[in-house]
Amino acid sequence: STVMASSYGMNVLFLVVDDLRPVLGCYGDNLVKSPNIDQLASQSIVFSNAYAQQAVCAPSRVSFLTGRRPDTTRLYDFYSYWRVHSGNYSTMPQYFKENGYMTMSVGKVFHPGEQPHCLSSPYTRFMFHNRLKVANLVCPVDVTEMPGGTLPDIQTTEEAVRLLNVMKTKKQKFFLAVGYHKPHIPLRYPQEFLKLYPMENITLAPDPWVPEKLPPVAYNPWMDIRQRDDVKALNVTFPYGPLPDDFQRLIRQSYYAAVSYLDMQVGLLLNALDDVGLSNSTIVVFTADHGWSLGEHGEWAKYSNFDVATQVPLMFYVPGMTTSSASQGERVFPYLDPFSHVLGQSKKMVELVSLFSTLAELAGLQVPPACPETSFHVALCTEGVSIVRYFKSSEQKVQKKEDGCNDTNRCYSEEPVAFSQYPRPADTPQWDSDKPKLKDIRIMGYSMRTVDYRYTVWVQFNPENFSADFEDVHAGELYMMETDPNQDNNIYNNTLHGHLFKKIVDFLKH
C-alpha cells in the first residue's frame, strides 16, 4: 500500500466549510487573503479538480458522509430524511467510532435535523435571534454587539479548541469533525475584514451574463437571495435579473471578506493543534460541501451543475507522508501572515464521495467494500474509490495497456470522471427551481466532468420510484474546458456526443 504504516492509527481532524468555492491563494486566486489555509495547503496534497456530487448542503453532506451518491441516498432536497427513502447506512463518523475512535462533531457537519435552512443545532436559537435584526444578504457586523459578543464560527472554533485540549491528555484516538458556516449567506462577518478588500479591487465575474445557449432548465434563479431585504429593494426581474453591477461587487467583496474571516478561524484551530502537540499524529482534511456562484452565468448561490457550484477545495495533510515529520516540539502550523509555497498539487479528477474510503485507508482501517449494484440493504459499502493512490507523484504515470489481458477495466485506466447532478421541477425557471421538493422533481441533470469537458444531460425523472428516463432527454450542455474554461459556450447542439451519452448512462447503470 502507498500509505506509510506510520499514518495508521492517527487522529483525524475533518474540516468542512459551507458554500466555499476554491477562492483561496493556494488555488491561484490573487485577490483573496487566506494565509492559514494556504499554509495548511503547503503541508498537504491539494486536489485542484475536486467536485461535490450535488451543489446543495444536505444531499452533498449525506453523500460524502455515507460514501454513496445522491441516487443511492435518494436525498436531493432539504426536506426529506435520507434514511426513510434509502437504507440505514453506516456513516464515516460512525465507522471511525466502531473502530475505536472517539468521534466528536462541532458546528455544522451533518445537515442538522435536515432543517430547511443550513443552520447548526447548538446555534439555531442564536441565528434566529439574529435574523430578526438583519434580513440583509450583506451584513458586516461589530462582533461586540452580537449576542454573547460572538458569532457562530468563532464559537465553533472555541469549542473545537476546547475538545483538542481535552483529547491531549486522553490516550484515545479521535475523529473530530468541525463544520464552519461562512461564507454561507447571510454574509455576516466581523466588519474589519472589509479592510482587506477595497472596493476598487473588486471586479465583476468574468461572465456576468446568462449564456446565450444555456438551456432554461439549467439556470437557477437564486430565490434565497431575492428574499433578502437589500436584494428585494432592488426589484430585480425574475428569473434572469441581472443584479446591478455595484451590488454584484458588494456581494463579491463580502464573500471574500467572509472567506478571510473563515481563514482566521482555521488558523486559530490549526495553531491549537500545534499547541496541544498533536500536529504530528493528526490527519487534517479540509473541504467544502459545494461551491457558490458569484455572478458567473448571471447566477448567484449554488443549485447548478457548473464548476462554480460543484467544485470544492480539497486537501489532505498527512504527517510524514505529505510533509516530512516536524521534529518534536517544532511547530507545523505557526500562525502566518505571509503566503507560503504550495507543494503537492494533484490535477486528478476526484469526487467528495471518495472521502470515506480515502480517510479509512489513510487511518489504516479496513476500507469499506465497493457497493453492489443495488445496495439499499447493505449497511456498509461505498460508491467512492479511495484516492490515496494519487498522493504519490509516481502514480501520475499512465498505466500502459498490457498485452493479452482480458479484463478491460484493469488493462487501461479510464480517464477519471467526476459526477454531479441537480434536480429541477420544470423546463423553465420556477420559484422552486433551486430547491424543489422531492415530490415536485420532474427532471434530473446528470453531469460528467473530465479534464477536457463538462457534459450534462437533463432527463425525465420520476420521484415516486426514483428513476431517470434516458430515452427522454429534455436538454443538454457540452463545454470544452481548453477553449471555454468558464463554461459559457454550450456546443451540445452542434456536436456529436453519442459516446458521451453512452458513458453517462453506463456509469449510472453501473
Side-chain angles (χ1 to χ4, degrees), residues 70-71 76 305 419-423 443-448 454-461 466-470 475 477 504-505 507-508:
D71 277 351
Y76 313 106
N305 282 320
F419 275 89
S420 303
Q421 62 192 94
Y422 212 86
I443 303 162
M444 188 68 76
Y446 290 99
S447 191
M448 180 166 74
R454 178 175 284 290
Y455 177 72
T456 306
V457 283
W458 298 89
V459 302
Q460 188 66 33
F461 185 83
F466 299 92
S467 66
D469 179 3
F470 284 89
E477 297 167 80
I504 274 196
V505 176
F507 175 83
L508 293 163

PDB file of all heavy atoms in Angstrom, residues 70-71 76 305 419-423 443-448 454-461 466-470 475 477 504-505 507-508:
ATOM      1  N   PRO A  70     -26.072  10.600  -4.561  1.00  0.00           N
ATOM      2  CA  PRO A  70     -27.458  11.012  -4.287  1.00  0.00           C
ATOM      3  C   PRO A  70     -28.521  10.046  -4.819  1.00  0.00           C
ATOM      4  O   PRO A  70     -29.578   9.902  -4.208  1.00  0.00           O
ATOM      5  CB  PRO A  70     -27.558  12.376  -4.973  1.00  0.00           C
ATOM      6  CG  PRO A  70     -26.160  12.912  -4.902  1.00  0.00           C
ATOM      7  CD  PRO A  70     -25.269  11.708  -5.105  1.00  0.00           C
ATOM      8  N   ASP A  71     -28.241   9.350  -5.933  1.00  0.00           N
ATOM      9  CA  ASP A  71     -29.250   8.398  -6.419  1.00  0.00           C
ATOM     10  C   ASP A  71     -29.375   7.191  -5.491  1.00  0.00           C
ATOM     11  O   ASP A  71     -30.359   6.450  -5.577  1.00  0.00           O
ATOM     12  CB  ASP A  71     -28.917   7.917  -7.842  1.00  0.00           C
ATOM     13  CG  ASP A  71     -29.395   8.919  -8.894  1.00  0.00           C
ATOM     14  OD1 ASP A  71     -30.115   9.872  -8.533  1.00  0.00           O
ATOM     15  OD2 ASP A  71     -29.045   8.755 -10.078  1.00  0.00           O
ATOM     16  N   TYR A  76     -32.268  14.466  -2.500  1.00  0.00           N
ATOM     17  CA  TYR A  76     -31.929  15.519  -3.458  1.00  0.00           C
ATOM     18  C   TYR A  76     -32.393  16.868  -2.947  1.00  0.00           C
ATOM     19  O   TYR A  76     -32.204  17.883  -3.602  1.00  0.00           O
ATOM     20  CB  TYR A  76     -32.639  15.296  -4.800  1.00  0.00           C
ATOM     21  CG  TYR A  76     -32.558  13.891  -5.334  1.00  0.00           C
ATOM     22  CD1 TYR A  76     -33.665  13.049  -5.290  1.00  0.00           C
ATOM     23  CD2 TYR A  76     -31.379  13.414  -5.893  1.00  0.00           C
ATOM     24  CE1 TYR A  76     -33.603  11.765  -5.793  1.00  0.00           C
ATOM     25  CE2 TYR A  76     -31.304  12.129  -6.397  1.00  0.00           C
ATOM     26  CZ  TYR A  76     -32.416  11.308  -6.342  1.00  0.00           C
ATOM     27  OH  TYR A  76     -32.348  10.031  -6.839  1.00  0.00           O
ATOM     28  N   ASN A 305     -25.097  22.693 -12.037  1.00  0.00           N
ATOM     29  CA  ASN A 305     -24.031  21.730 -12.340  1.00  0.00           C
ATOM     30  C   ASN A 305     -22.748  22.390 -12.847  1.00  0.00           C
ATOM     31  O   ASN A 305     -21.807  21.708 -13.213  1.00  0.00           O
ATOM     32  CB  ASN A 305     -24.518  20.714 -13.389  1.00  0.00           C
ATOM     33  CG  ASN A 305     -25.426  19.655 -12.776  1.00  0.00           C
ATOM     34  OD1 ASN A 305     -25.173  19.175 -11.671  1.00  0.00           O
ATOM     35  ND2 ASN A 305     -26.495  19.312 -13.471  1.00  0.00           N
ATOM     36  N   PHE A 419     -18.738  13.031 -11.191  1.00  0.00           N
ATOM     37  CA  PHE A 419     -20.170  13.110 -11.496  1.00  0.00           C
ATOM     38  C   PHE A 419     -20.885  14.003 -10.499  1.00  0.00           C
ATOM     39  O   PHE A 419     -20.669  13.897  -9.300  1.00  0.00           O
ATOM     40  CB  PHE A 419     -20.804  11.720 -11.434  1.00  0.00           C
ATOM     41  CG  PHE A 419     -20.671  10.970 -12.718  1.00  0.00           C
ATOM     42  CD1 PHE A 419     -19.570  10.173 -12.955  1.00  0.00           C
ATOM     43  CD2 PHE A 419     -21.635  11.097 -13.708  1.00  0.00           C
ATOM     44  CE1 PHE A 419     -19.416   9.499 -14.150  1.00  0.00           C
ATOM     45  CE2 PHE A 419     -21.500  10.427 -14.920  1.00  0.00           C
ATOM     46  CZ  PHE A 419     -20.387   9.632 -15.133  1.00  0.00           C
ATOM     47  N   SER A 420     -21.755  14.875 -11.025  1.00  0.00           N
ATOM     48  CA  SER A 420     -22.611  15.681 -10.164  1.00  0.00           C
ATOM     49  C   SER A 420     -24.005  15.602 -10.751  1.00  0.00           C
ATOM     50  O   SER A 420     -24.181  15.167 -11.892  1.00  0.00           O
ATOM     51  CB  SER A 420     -22.145  17.142 -10.133  1.00  0.00           C
ATOM     52  OG  SER A 420     -20.804  17.235  -9.698  1.00  0.00           O
ATOM     53  N   GLN A 421     -25.001  16.011  -9.982  1.00  0.00           N
ATOM     54  CA  GLN A 421     -26.361  16.019 -10.521  1.00  0.00           C
ATOM     55  C   GLN A 421     -27.173  17.097  -9.844  1.00  0.00           C
ATOM     56  O   GLN A 421     -26.824  17.560  -8.760  1.00  0.00           O
ATOM     57  CB  GLN A 421     -27.033  14.657 -10.329  1.00  0.00           C
ATOM     58  CG  GLN A 421     -27.212  14.231  -8.884  1.00  0.00           C
ATOM     59  CD  GLN A 421     -27.617  12.771  -8.789  1.00  0.00           C
ATOM     60  OE1 GLN A 421     -26.777  11.895  -8.636  1.00  0.00           O
ATOM     61  NE2 GLN A 421     -28.916  12.504  -8.867  1.00  0.00           N
ATOM     62  N   TYR A 422     -28.245  17.536 -10.533  1.00  0.00           N
ATOM     63  CA  TYR A 422     -29.137  18.518  -9.921  1.00  0.00           C
ATOM     64  C   TYR A 422     -30.561  18.332 -10.416  1.00  0.00           C
ATOM     65  O   TYR A 422     -30.775  18.152 -11.609  1.00  0.00           O
ATOM     66  CB  TYR A 422     -28.664  19.972 -10.168  1.00  0.00           C
ATOM     67  CG  TYR A 422     -29.061  20.779  -8.966  1.00  0.00           C
ATOM     68  CD1 TYR A 422     -28.230  20.836  -7.847  1.00  0.00           C
ATOM     69  CD2 TYR A 422     -30.326  21.371  -8.889  1.00  0.00           C
ATOM     70  CE1 TYR A 422     -28.631  21.473  -6.689  1.00  0.00           C
ATOM     71  CE2 TYR A 422     -30.738  22.007  -7.738  1.00  0.00           C
ATOM     72  CZ  TYR A 422     -29.890  22.050  -6.639  1.00  0.00           C
ATOM     73  OH  TYR A 422     -30.319  22.660  -5.486  1.00  0.00           O
ATOM     74  N   PRO A 423     -31.545  18.357  -9.495  1.00  0.00           N
ATOM     75  CA  PRO A 423     -32.946  18.181  -9.882  1.00  0.00           C
ATOM     76  C   PRO A 423     -33.619  19.509 -10.234  1.00  0.00           C
ATOM     77  O   PRO A 423     -33.212  20.551  -9.727  1.00  0.00           O
ATOM     78  CB  PRO A 423     -33.576  17.614  -8.608  1.00  0.00           C
ATOM     79  CG  PRO A 423     -32.778  18.209  -7.492  1.00  0.00           C
ATOM     80  CD  PRO A 423     -31.384  18.435  -8.034  1.00  0.00           C
ATOM     81  N   ILE A 443     -37.246  16.547 -13.508  1.00  0.00           N
ATOM     82  CA  ILE A 443     -36.099  16.451 -14.414  1.00  0.00           C
ATOM     83  C   ILE A 443     -34.840  16.338 -13.553  1.00  0.00           C
ATOM     84  O   ILE A 443     -34.732  17.013 -12.534  1.00  0.00           O
ATOM     85  CB  ILE A 443     -35.997  17.718 -15.295  1.00  0.00           C
ATOM     86  CG1 ILE A 443     -37.301  17.915 -16.076  1.00  0.00           C
ATOM     87  CG2 ILE A 443     -34.802  17.640 -16.256  1.00  0.00           C
ATOM     88  CD1 ILE A 443     -37.488  19.317 -16.613  1.00  0.00           C
ATOM     89  N   MET A 444     -33.908  15.473 -13.976  1.00  0.00           N
ATOM     90  CA  MET A 444     -32.632  15.393 -13.278  1.00  0.00           C
ATOM     91  C   MET A 444     -31.522  15.706 -14.277  1.00  0.00           C
ATOM     92  O   MET A 444     -31.496  15.145 -15.375  1.00  0.00           O
ATOM     93  CB  MET A 444     -32.417  13.996 -12.670  1.00  0.00           C
ATOM     94  CG  MET A 444     -31.200  13.884 -11.757  1.00  0.00           C
ATOM     95  SD  MET A 444     -31.350  14.809 -10.197  1.00  0.00           S
ATOM     96  CE  MET A 444     -32.470  13.726  -9.286  1.00  0.00           C
ATOM     97  N   GLY A 445     -30.634  16.623 -13.889  1.00  0.00           N
ATOM     98  CA  GLY A 445     -29.484  16.933 -14.735  1.00  0.00           C
ATOM     99  C   GLY A 445     -28.288  16.146 -14.258  1.00  0.00           C
ATOM    100  O   GLY A 445     -27.797  16.366 -13.152  1.00  0.00           O
ATOM    101  N   TYR A 446     -27.829  15.184 -15.066  1.00  0.00           N
ATOM    102  CA  TYR A 446     -26.636  14.403 -14.726  1.00  0.00           C
ATOM    103  C   TYR A 446     -25.440  15.012 -15.445  1.00  0.00           C
ATOM    104  O   TYR A 446     -25.507  15.257 -16.662  1.00  0.00           O
ATOM    105  CB  TYR A 446     -26.809  12.946 -15.155  1.00  0.00           C
ATOM    106  CG  TYR A 446     -27.825  12.204 -14.319  1.00  0.00           C
ATOM    107  CD1 TYR A 446     -29.129  12.026 -14.768  1.00  0.00           C
ATOM    108  CD2 TYR A 446     -27.477  11.696 -13.066  1.00  0.00           C
ATOM    109  CE1 TYR A 446     -30.075  11.347 -14.001  1.00  0.00           C
ATOM    110  CE2 TYR A 446     -28.405  11.018 -12.290  1.00  0.00           C
ATOM    111  CZ  TYR A 446     -29.707  10.846 -12.752  1.00  0.00           C
ATOM    112  OH  TYR A 446     -30.618  10.185 -11.978  1.00  0.00           O
ATOM    113  N   SER A 447     -24.361  15.246 -14.703  1.00  0.00           N
ATOM    114  CA  SER A 447     -23.245  15.995 -15.258  1.00  0.00           C
ATOM    115  C   SER A 447     -21.934  15.258 -15.031  1.00  0.00           C
ATOM    116  O   SER A 447     -21.672  14.751 -13.949  1.00  0.00           O
ATOM    117  CB  SER A 447     -23.194  17.367 -14.590  1.00  0.00           C
ATOM    118  OG  SER A 447     -22.307  18.209 -15.265  1.00  0.00           O
ATOM    119  N   MET A 448     -21.131  15.224 -16.082  1.00  0.00           N
ATOM    120  CA  MET A 448     -19.893  14.457 -16.066  1.00  0.00           C
ATOM    121  C   MET A 448     -18.747  15.422 -16.391  1.00  0.00           C
ATOM    122  O   MET A 448     -18.754  16.062 -17.429  1.00  0.00           O
ATOM    123  CB  MET A 448     -20.031  13.384 -17.155  1.00  0.00           C
ATOM    124  CG  MET A 448     -18.894  12.465 -17.349  1.00  0.00           C
ATOM    125  SD  MET A 448     -19.425  11.050 -18.382  1.00  0.00           S
ATOM    126  CE  MET A 448     -19.532  11.770 -20.014  1.00  0.00           C
ATOM    127  N   ARG A 454     -17.084  19.367 -19.701  1.00  0.00           N
ATOM    128  CA  ARG A 454     -18.217  19.081 -18.830  1.00  0.00           C
ATOM    129  C   ARG A 454     -19.408  18.791 -19.724  1.00  0.00           C
ATOM    130  O   ARG A 454     -19.740  19.586 -20.598  1.00  0.00           O
ATOM    131  CB  ARG A 454     -18.552  20.241 -17.875  1.00  0.00           C
ATOM    132  CG  ARG A 454     -19.790  19.905 -17.012  1.00  0.00           C
ATOM    133  CD  ARG A 454     -20.126  20.931 -15.950  1.00  0.00           C
ATOM    134  NE  ARG A 454     -19.277  20.922 -14.780  1.00  0.00           N
ATOM    135  CZ  ARG A 454     -19.253  19.963 -13.848  1.00  0.00           C
ATOM    136  NH1 ARG A 454     -20.024  18.892 -13.968  1.00  0.00           N
ATOM    137  NH2 ARG A 454     -18.457  20.074 -12.805  1.00  0.00           N
ATOM    138  N   TYR A 455     -20.034  17.630 -19.515  1.00  0.00           N
ATOM    139  CA  TYR A 455     -21.158  17.173 -20.328  1.00  0.00           C
ATOM    140  C   TYR A 455     -22.344  16.910 -19.405  1.00  0.00           C
ATOM    141  O   TYR A 455     -22.207  16.204 -18.401  1.00  0.00           O
ATOM    142  CB  TYR A 455     -20.755  15.884 -21.052  1.00  0.00           C
ATOM    143  CG  TYR A 455     -21.846  15.236 -21.878  1.00  0.00           C
ATOM    144  CD1 TYR A 455     -22.268  15.805 -23.082  1.00  0.00           C
ATOM    145  CD2 TYR A 455     -22.452  14.040 -21.465  1.00  0.00           C
ATOM    146  CE1 TYR A 455     -23.253  15.191 -23.865  1.00  0.00           C
ATOM    147  CE2 TYR A 455     -23.435  13.428 -22.241  1.00  0.00           C
ATOM    148  CZ  TYR A 455     -23.837  14.008 -23.430  1.00  0.00           C
ATOM    149  OH  TYR A 455     -24.807  13.413 -24.198  1.00  0.00           O
ATOM    150  N   THR A 456     -23.488  17.532 -19.700  1.00  0.00           N
ATOM    151  CA  THR A 456     -24.669  17.410 -18.835  1.00  0.00           C
ATOM    152  C   THR A 456     -25.890  17.058 -19.663  1.00  0.00           C
ATOM    153  O   THR A 456     -26.101  17.664 -20.719  1.00  0.00           O
ATOM    154  CB  THR A 456     -24.940  18.752 -18.107  1.00  0.00           C
ATOM    155  OG1 THR A 456     -23.756  19.164 -17.424  1.00  0.00           O
ATOM    156  CG2 THR A 456     -26.086  18.630 -17.112  1.00  0.00           C
ATOM    157  N   VAL A 457     -26.665  16.071 -19.199  1.00  0.00           N
ATOM    158  CA  VAL A 457     -27.960  15.817 -19.844  1.00  0.00           C
ATOM    159  C   VAL A 457     -29.068  15.967 -18.807  1.00  0.00           C
ATOM    160  O   VAL A 457     -28.956  15.493 -17.678  1.00  0.00           O
ATOM    161  CB  VAL A 457     -28.056  14.417 -20.508  1.00  0.00           C
ATOM    162  CG1 VAL A 457     -27.299  14.409 -21.818  1.00  0.00           C
ATOM    163  CG2 VAL A 457     -27.575  13.314 -19.595  1.00  0.00           C
ATOM    164  N   TRP A 458     -30.119  16.663 -19.213  1.00  0.00           N
ATOM    165  CA  TRP A 458     -31.295  16.875 -18.362  1.00  0.00           C
ATOM    166  C   TRP A 458     -32.375  15.906 -18.837  1.00  0.00           C
ATOM    167  O   TRP A 458     -32.850  16.021 -19.962  1.00  0.00           O
ATOM    168  CB  TRP A 458     -31.766  18.327 -18.466  1.00  0.00           C
ATOM    169  CG  TRP A 458     -30.728  19.302 -17.978  1.00  0.00           C
ATOM    170  CD1 TRP A 458     -29.728  19.882 -18.702  1.00  0.00           C
ATOM    171  CD2 TRP A 458     -30.576  19.777 -16.623  1.00  0.00           C
ATOM    172  NE1 TRP A 458     -28.963  20.694 -17.889  1.00  0.00           N
ATOM    173  CE2 TRP A 458     -29.462  20.655 -16.618  1.00  0.00           C
ATOM    174  CE3 TRP A 458     -31.294  19.559 -15.433  1.00  0.00           C
ATOM    175  CZ2 TRP A 458     -29.033  21.304 -15.451  1.00  0.00           C
ATOM    176  CZ3 TRP A 458     -30.862  20.207 -14.275  1.00  0.00           C
ATOM    177  CH2 TRP A 458     -29.750  21.064 -14.284  1.00  0.00           C
ATOM    178  N   VAL A 459     -32.719  14.910 -17.993  1.00  0.00           N
ATOM    179  CA  VAL A 459     -33.635  13.848 -18.425  1.00  0.00           C
ATOM    180  C   VAL A 459     -34.865  13.767 -17.522  1.00  0.00           C
ATOM    181  O   VAL A 459     -34.842  14.204 -16.367  1.00  0.00           O
ATOM    182  CB  VAL A 459     -32.915  12.470 -18.452  1.00  0.00           C
ATOM    183  CG1 VAL A 459     -31.697  12.518 -19.372  1.00  0.00           C
ATOM    184  CG2 VAL A 459     -32.489  12.024 -17.058  1.00  0.00           C
ATOM    185  N   GLN A 460     -35.910  13.188 -18.076  1.00  0.00           N
ATOM    186  CA  GLN A 460     -37.157  12.997 -17.323  1.00  0.00           C
ATOM    187  C   GLN A 460     -36.887  12.167 -16.064  1.00  0.00           C
ATOM    188  O   GLN A 460     -36.132  11.191 -16.111  1.00  0.00           O
ATOM    189  CB  GLN A 460     -38.170  12.262 -18.220  1.00  0.00           C
ATOM    190  CG  GLN A 460     -39.580  12.166 -17.644  1.00  0.00           C
ATOM    191  CD  GLN A 460     -40.265  13.518 -17.529  1.00  0.00           C
ATOM    192  OE1 GLN A 460     -40.045  14.413 -18.337  1.00  0.00           O
ATOM    193  NE2 GLN A 460     -41.097  13.686 -16.493  1.00  0.00           N
ATOM    194  N   PHE A 461     -37.502  12.571 -14.943  1.00  0.00           N
ATOM    195  CA  PHE A 461     -37.260  11.865 -13.673  1.00  0.00           C
ATOM    196  C   PHE A 461     -38.581  11.628 -12.965  1.00  0.00           C
ATOM    197  O   PHE A 461     -39.432  12.509 -12.927  1.00  0.00           O
ATOM    198  CB  PHE A 461     -36.332  12.712 -12.785  1.00  0.00           C
ATOM    199  CG  PHE A 461     -35.920  12.030 -11.503  1.00  0.00           C
ATOM    200  CD1 PHE A 461     -34.854  11.134 -11.487  1.00  0.00           C
ATOM    201  CD2 PHE A 461     -36.590  12.281 -10.311  1.00  0.00           C
ATOM    202  CE1 PHE A 461     -34.459  10.506 -10.309  1.00  0.00           C
ATOM    203  CE2 PHE A 461     -36.212  11.661  -9.125  1.00  0.00           C
ATOM    204  CZ  PHE A 461     -35.148  10.774  -9.126  1.00  0.00           C
ATOM    205  N   PHE A 466     -37.945   6.993  -8.058  1.00  0.00           N
ATOM    206  CA  PHE A 466     -36.559   7.470  -8.150  1.00  0.00           C
ATOM    207  C   PHE A 466     -35.876   7.012  -9.440  1.00  0.00           C
ATOM    208  O   PHE A 466     -34.730   6.613  -9.422  1.00  0.00           O
ATOM    209  CB  PHE A 466     -35.741   6.967  -6.948  1.00  0.00           C
ATOM    210  CG  PHE A 466     -36.265   7.450  -5.632  1.00  0.00           C
ATOM    211  CD1 PHE A 466     -37.174   6.691  -4.911  1.00  0.00           C
ATOM    212  CD2 PHE A 466     -35.854   8.675  -5.116  1.00  0.00           C
ATOM    213  CE1 PHE A 466     -37.665   7.144  -3.692  1.00  0.00           C
ATOM    214  CE2 PHE A 466     -36.341   9.131  -3.900  1.00  0.00           C
ATOM    215  CZ  PHE A 466     -37.240   8.365  -3.182  1.00  0.00           C
ATOM    216  N   SER A 467     -36.607   7.074 -10.562  1.00  0.00           N
ATOM    217  CA  SER A 467     -35.970   6.575 -11.783  1.00  0.00           C
ATOM    218  C   SER A 467     -35.852   7.671 -12.833  1.00  0.00           C
ATOM    219  O   SER A 467     -36.739   8.508 -12.993  1.00  0.00           O
ATOM    220  CB  SER A 467     -36.766   5.397 -12.350  1.00  0.00           C
ATOM    221  OG  SER A 467     -38.018   5.868 -12.769  1.00  0.00           O
ATOM    222  N   ALA A 468     -34.715   7.640 -13.528  1.00  0.00           N
ATOM    223  CA  ALA A 468     -34.448   8.593 -14.597  1.00  0.00           C
ATOM    224  C   ALA A 468     -34.691   7.894 -15.923  1.00  0.00           C
ATOM    225  O   ALA A 468     -34.328   6.734 -16.098  1.00  0.00           O
ATOM    226  CB  ALA A 468     -33.002   9.061 -14.510  1.00  0.00           C
ATOM    227  N   ASP A 469     -35.328   8.611 -16.862  1.00  0.00           N
ATOM    228  CA  ASP A 469     -35.613   8.025 -18.176  1.00  0.00           C
ATOM    229  C   ASP A 469     -34.692   8.639 -19.229  1.00  0.00           C
ATOM    230  O   ASP A 469     -34.935   9.747 -19.708  1.00  0.00           O
ATOM    231  CB  ASP A 469     -37.083   8.286 -18.530  1.00  0.00           C
ATOM    232  CG  ASP A 469     -37.446   7.736 -19.900  1.00  0.00           C
ATOM    233  OD1 ASP A 469     -36.564   7.111 -20.542  1.00  0.00           O
ATOM    234  OD2 ASP A 469     -38.592   7.939 -20.345  1.00  0.00           O
ATOM    235  N   PHE A 470     -33.656   7.883 -19.598  1.00  0.00           N
ATOM    236  CA  PHE A 470     -32.665   8.422 -20.531  1.00  0.00           C
ATOM    237  C   PHE A 470     -33.146   8.402 -21.975  1.00  0.00           C
ATOM    238  O   PHE A 470     -32.462   8.889 -22.871  1.00  0.00           O
ATOM    239  CB  PHE A 470     -31.333   7.684 -20.367  1.00  0.00           C
ATOM    240  CG  PHE A 470     -30.599   8.127 -19.137  1.00  0.00           C
ATOM    241  CD1 PHE A 470     -30.819   7.499 -17.917  1.00  0.00           C
ATOM    242  CD2 PHE A 470     -29.733   9.212 -19.174  1.00  0.00           C
ATOM    243  CE1 PHE A 470     -30.175   7.931 -16.776  1.00  0.00           C
ATOM    244  CE2 PHE A 470     -29.086   9.650 -18.035  1.00  0.00           C
ATOM    245  CZ  PHE A 470     -29.302   9.006 -16.836  1.00  0.00           C
ATOM    246  N   ALA A 475     -32.808  18.437 -22.432  1.00  0.00           N
ATOM    247  CA  ALA A 475     -31.805  19.413 -22.871  1.00  0.00           C
ATOM    248  C   ALA A 475     -30.421  18.876 -22.538  1.00  0.00           C
ATOM    249  O   ALA A 475     -30.299  17.906 -21.786  1.00  0.00           O
ATOM    250  CB  ALA A 475     -32.024  20.756 -22.166  1.00  0.00           C
ATOM    251  N   GLU A 477     -25.915  20.018 -22.268  1.00  0.00           N
ATOM    252  CA  GLU A 477     -24.847  21.018 -22.272  1.00  0.00           C
ATOM    253  C   GLU A 477     -23.516  20.321 -22.524  1.00  0.00           C
ATOM    254  O   GLU A 477     -23.278  19.230 -22.000  1.00  0.00           O
ATOM    255  CB  GLU A 477     -24.759  21.729 -20.919  1.00  0.00           C
ATOM    256  CG  GLU A 477     -26.001  22.521 -20.538  1.00  0.00           C
ATOM    257  CD  GLU A 477     -25.944  22.919 -19.067  1.00  0.00           C
ATOM    258  OE1 GLU A 477     -25.258  23.907 -18.751  1.00  0.00           O
ATOM    259  OE2 GLU A 477     -26.571  22.233 -18.237  1.00  0.00           O
ATOM    260  N   ILE A 504     -22.342   8.291 -19.737  1.00  0.00           N
ATOM    261  CA  ILE A 504     -23.161   8.685 -18.562  1.00  0.00           C
ATOM    262  C   ILE A 504     -24.130   7.569 -18.208  1.00  0.00           C
ATOM    263  O   ILE A 504     -24.276   7.180 -17.056  1.00  0.00           O
ATOM    264  CB  ILE A 504     -23.925  10.009 -18.827  1.00  0.00           C
ATOM    265  CG1 ILE A 504     -23.035  11.199 -18.473  1.00  0.00           C
ATOM    266  CG2 ILE A 504     -25.211  10.075 -18.031  1.00  0.00           C
ATOM    267  CD1 ILE A 504     -23.755  12.522 -18.311  1.00  0.00           C
ATOM    268  N   VAL A 505     -24.815   7.058 -19.215  1.00  0.00           N
ATOM    269  CA  VAL A 505     -25.821   6.013 -18.971  1.00  0.00           C
ATOM    270  C   VAL A 505     -25.154   4.759 -18.388  1.00  0.00           C
ATOM    271  O   VAL A 505     -25.628   4.192 -17.402  1.00  0.00           O
ATOM    272  CB  VAL A 505     -26.599   5.674 -20.264  1.00  0.00           C
ATOM    273  CG1 VAL A 505     -27.557   4.528 -20.016  1.00  0.00           C
ATOM    274  CG2 VAL A 505     -27.368   6.911 -20.736  1.00  0.00           C
ATOM    275  N   PHE A 507     -22.426   4.576 -16.754  1.00  0.00           N
ATOM    276  CA  PHE A 507     -21.971   4.850 -15.397  1.00  0.00           C
ATOM    277  C   PHE A 507     -23.133   4.726 -14.405  1.00  0.00           C
ATOM    278  O   PHE A 507     -23.013   4.107 -13.361  1.00  0.00           O
ATOM    279  CB  PHE A 507     -21.373   6.256 -15.310  1.00  0.00           C
ATOM    280  CG  PHE A 507     -21.003   6.615 -13.904  1.00  0.00           C
ATOM    281  CD1 PHE A 507     -19.787   6.204 -13.378  1.00  0.00           C
ATOM    282  CD2 PHE A 507     -21.877   7.317 -13.088  1.00  0.00           C
ATOM    283  CE1 PHE A 507     -19.450   6.497 -12.065  1.00  0.00           C
ATOM    284  CE2 PHE A 507     -21.553   7.612 -11.782  1.00  0.00           C
ATOM    285  CZ  PHE A 507     -20.318   7.208 -11.262  1.00  0.00           C
ATOM    286  N   LEU A 508     -24.259   5.332 -14.750  1.00  0.00           N
ATOM    287  CA  LEU A 508     -25.389   5.361 -13.809  1.00  0.00           C
ATOM    288  C   LEU A 508     -26.048   3.992 -13.679  1.00  0.00           C
ATOM    289  O   LEU A 508     -26.648   3.679 -12.669  1.00  0.00           O
ATOM    290  CB  LEU A 508     -26.396   6.420 -14.221  1.00  0.00           C
ATOM    291  CG  LEU A 508     -25.809   7.836 -14.071  1.00  0.00           C
ATOM    292  CD1 LEU A 508     -26.617   8.848 -14.852  1.00  0.00           C
ATOM    293  CD2 LEU A 508     -25.726   8.226 -12.596  1.00  0.00           C
TER     294      LEU A 508
END
